[in-house]
């Protein structure tokens, strides 16, 4: 992937790409005097940059959504707390079966939350 220190460099690469009739090879030939032969971006880097720009119309990175922890929700924690108050000696597999919460999730709730 193309690692660029400044956004202007990416913009310059895109301008050169579109100026050279959408040709990656011509873009690389134009970039050689600017970057040097060994430090210019690769063909894959140029095409990835163009695909990213054409799909998002931006050069900014897209934020990746954080995975939700639905197992350790407030409702499940409250249900485990109620179950624990009703019968503190009940086993984790039995408590898991009755509450419909996975054993590992139940174990994590018991270790971390309660």
């Amino acid at each position: 992937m193309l690692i660029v220190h400044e956004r202007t460099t990416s913009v310059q690469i895109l301008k050169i790409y579109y100026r050279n009739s959408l040709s990656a090879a011509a873009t690389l030939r134009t970039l050689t005097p600017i970057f040097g032969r060994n430090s210019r971006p690769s063909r894959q880097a140029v095409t990835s940059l163009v695909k990213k720009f054409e799909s998002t119309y931006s050069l900014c990175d897209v934020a990746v959504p954080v995975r939700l922890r639905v197992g350790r929700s407030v409702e499940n924690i409250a249900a485990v707390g109620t179950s624990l108050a009703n019968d503190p000696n009940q086993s984790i597999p039995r408590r898991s079966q009755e509450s419909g919460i996975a054993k590992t999730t139940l174990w994590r709730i018991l270790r971390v939350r309660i």
Side-chain angles (χ1 to χ4, degrees), residues 10-100:
S10 298
V11 172
Q12 289 174 346
I13 293 171
L14 283 173
K15 285 180 181 179
I16 292 169
Y17 177 80
Y18 287 114
R19 200 177 308 139
N20 286 317
S21 304
L22 308 176
S23 170
T27 303
L28 291 174
R29 281 192 299 271
T30 308
L31 291 175
T32 301
I34 299 169
F35 286 97
R37 183 170 181 220
N38 294 328
S39 60
R40 72 174 186 197
S42 65
R43 177 187 297 263
Q44 181 181 4
V46 171
T47 55
S48 300
L49 181 69
V50 170
K51 284 180 184 177
K52 177 181 179 181
F53 179 71
E54 289 177 348
S55 64
T56 63
Y57 301 108
S58 174
L59 294 176
C60 297
D61 291 330
V62 178
V64 178
V66 178
R67 184 173 65 95
L68 297 175
R69 306 249 180 208
V70 294
R72 289 183 274 169
S73 65
V74 177
E75 294 84 16
N76 285 348
I77 293 170
V80 170
T82 305
S83 173
L84 191 63
N86 291 342
D87 189 6
N89 295 325
Q90 191 176 35
S91 68
I92 290 177
R94 175 67 61 168
R95 195 179 309 272
S96 168
Q97 191 176 29
E98 287 181 359
S99 63

